Amino acid sequence: MKKCQFHDSNLHYANFSETKMEDSFFVDSNLVESSFQAVTVKKDLSFNNCEINQIDFLDTHMKGIDLSKATFDDLIVNPELIKGLKINPWQAGQIVAMLGVIVED
């Protein structure tokens, strides 16, 4: 998928596994429990104003993926493949918690 755009889409349970994506983005879409397993990302893949709770990124290198404008409570990822993922400060706390780190005040 090269330079693909998905706008205002209901992609709940969609399966993009083993897809090669280049300069693609999702906008105002529901991707809850979608599968992006073993996806190859060239350049950028972004999720703007999308609900991506429980999205499955297992076996996907996260470099080039921008989740900073998406909303989620939980993701399915390989911790060793998370390097290069773009998130916002609020999401950083969620990612740390998913990795099992305990943050105390």
Side-chain angles (χ1 to χ4, degrees):
M1 292 177 27
K2 212 175 206 183
K3 297 184 181 184
C4 288
Q5 303 175 22
F6 294 85
H7 293 270
D8 301 313
S9 302
N10 184 6
L11 299 166
H12 193 198
Y13 299 120
N15 187 352
F16 293 95
S17 295
E18 298 185 15
T19 304
K20 293 178 183 175
M21 298 183 148
E22 181 176 338
D23 284 334
S24 297
F25 60 92
F26 296 84
V27 179
D28 299 320
S29 297
N30 174 7
L31 289 125
V32 172
E33 297 186 50
S34 293
S35 181
F36 284 77
Q37 290 183 355
V39 167
T40 302
V41 177
K42 286 185 79 176
K43 297 188 183 177
D44 299 312
L45 173 61
S46 62
F47 299 84
N48 297 326
N49 198 34
C50 293
E51 176 61 44
I52 62 168
N53 200 42
Q54 287 291 314
I55 200 169
D56 185 349
F57 286 111
L58 285 177
D59 300 323
T60 297
H61 289 273
M62 304 298 282
K63 184 178 180 181
I65 298 177
D66 183 354
L67 303 181
S68 64
K69 295 178 182 135
T71 56
F72 62 87
D73 293 322
D74 194 22
L75 300 174
I76 302 167
V77 298
N78 298 90
E80 65 275 9
L81 302 178
I82 200 169
K83 184 178 179 179
L85 173 65
K86 187 175 182 181
I87 57 174
N88 65 44
W90 183 78
Q91 293 167 332
Q94 292 175 294
I95 298 288
V96 167
M98 286 187 318
L99 298 175
V101 176
I102 299 169
V103 180
E104 293 187 18
D105 284 332

